[in-house]
Amino acid sequence: QWIADEVRQHHDVHVNKVRPSLDESIYKPSSSPDKTGQVVISAMIRPQTPRRGAARTMVLLSHLKKQFKDNINIRLFGCESSNPEWQSLHQDFDYINYGILNRVDVAELLKQSTIFIDLSDYQAFGRTGFEAMACGCIPVLPMKGGATEFATDQVNALLVDTFNVEDVLSKITPLIENPVKRIEMRLNCIESSMQYSKLDAAQSELKVLHQNAIKWKLLNNTKYN
C-alpha cells in the first residue's frame, strides 16, 4: 500500500494494489531448529546499493558482537568479501560472509537464523524481512516505508529508526537477552506469514483484472451507444 500511496502522491497516478505472495515451498521454518542456545544474527550487506545501509549495519553488528561476544553468531550475505566496497566497511568483529546467494540459499540461511537485520533507509515492502518471518526468523525492519503492512513492532518484528544505531541497539539487546520473548515472536512470525499464500495473491490479481475488464466494457459500451 505504501508504494501505491507514493505513486499517487508524487505522480498523481492510481495503481491497484495486489496481495503479496510467498513461496511456501522455499520459505518455511526449519524442521530441526538450532538447540545450542546461541543467537544467530543474519544481515544482507550490499554496499553497492547505498540505501541498504551497509555501513551502519556493520557498525551495529560490531557493537552487538562486543556486547554479547560468543553468545551470538553473525552471518552475512549480499556481497563478496573481495569487493572493494565491502573491504571499506567497518568490520572489527568475527562473522561469516556467504557472499552472493540465490533465493534457496537465502532461505536456508534465514532458517538457521534467530534475527534478521535490515537497516535500509526505507523499505517499500521489505520482502527479505517478510521471507525471514516465514522461516521463523525475527526481522528488524525500518519503520519508514511499507513494512507495517505485515510487521507489528514487538509482536512479529522490531520496527526501528534505521538512522539511529543507539535506538536499534536499545531494541535488539532485550530481545537477545530474553529467550522466552524470542520464542513468542518466532511463533508470531510463522503465523503471520501463513496469511500470504500464492493462491491468495493470484486471486487478488484476478479480482483487479476482472474489475478493470468490467470498467472497460462499460466504457466501451457507452462510447458506441
Side-chain angles (χ1 to χ4, degrees):
Q1 186 59 53
W2 185 81
I3 299 173
D5 293 342
E6 288 291 297
V7 172
R8 182 168 58 251
Q9 178 181 345
H10 296 286
H11 303 284
D12 196 26
V13 174
H14 172 75
V15 294
N16 294 109
K17 174 187 173 297
V18 295
R19 193 168 177 80
S21 63
L22 185 75
D23 189 340
E24 308 100 319
S25 66
I26 296 177
Y27 301 102
K28 55 187 177 181
S30 172
S31 57
S32 55
D34 179 45
K35 297 180 180 179
T36 64
Q38 189 179 48
V39 174
V40 177
I41 299 176
S42 62
M44 181 174 68
I45 305 296
R46 200 165 71 190
Q48 57 269 40
T49 308
R51 74 174 179 85
R52 294 290 183 184
R56 59 180 175 263
T57 304
M58 294 297 276
V59 170
L60 171 71
L61 293 172
S62 175
H63 283 302
L64 288 172
K65 190 64 176 176
K66 287 175 183 175
Q67 181 176 351
F68 291 100
K69 299 180 173 59
D70 291 338
N71 291 319
I72 64 172
N73 185 303
I74 296 173
R75 303 177 184 181
L76 310 175
F77 68 99
C79 183
E80 300 296 345
S81 298
S82 58
N83 187 310
E85 290 182 279
W86 176 281
Q87 295 174 2
S88 69
L89 295 172
H90 185 87
Q91 43 187 296
D92 63 343
F93 58 94
D94 293 333
Y95 62 84
I96 300 172
N97 179 30
Y98 291 91
I100 298 173
L101 300 179
N102 60 38
R103 69 189 192 119
V104 174
D105 290 335
V106 169
E108 288 304 312
L109 178 57
L110 293 174
K111 289 175 189 178
Q112 300 165 17
S113 301
T114 315
I115 299 170
F116 169 72
I117 295 176
D118 179 353
L119 295 192
S120 300
D121 294 0
Y122 66 91
Q123 278 289 2
F125 180 67
R127 173 160 291 279
T128 309
F130 179 52
E131 292 165 347
M133 286 172 53
C135 294
C137 174
I138 304 164
V140 179
L141 300 167
M143 61 175 57
K144 181 179 180 181
T148 52
E149 188 162 323
F150 63 89
T152 303
D153 188 37
Q154 300 293 336
V155 176
N156 59 12
L158 297 181
L159 296 176
V160 299
D161 177 357
T162 57
F163 291 96
N164 187 336
V165 172
E166 291 300 320
D167 175 65
V168 183
L169 274 171
S170 71
K171 285 199 167 185
I172 293 181
T173 296
L175 184 61
I176 294 175
E177 294 174 338
N178 190 338
V180 175
K181 179 67 172 178
R182 293 200 304 273
I183 293 172
E184 178 187 342
M185 291 185 68
R186 168 183 159 83
L187 294 175
N188 289 339
C189 285
I190 296 169
E191 182 179 4
S192 298
S193 70
M194 293 171 65
Q195 302 174 30
Y196 295 90
S197 70
K198 290 181 287 186
L199 178 59
D200 287 342
Q203 289 176 330
S204 76
E205 293 170 11
L206 285 172
K207 182 178 179 180
V208 169
L209 293 172
H210 179 67
Q211 289 173 338
N212 281 279
I214 292 174
K215 290 178 183 177
W216 180 87
K217 184 176 180 180
L218 290 173
L219 288 172
N220 190 58
N221 289 340
T222 299
K223 180 178 179 181
Y224 289 98
N225 287 338

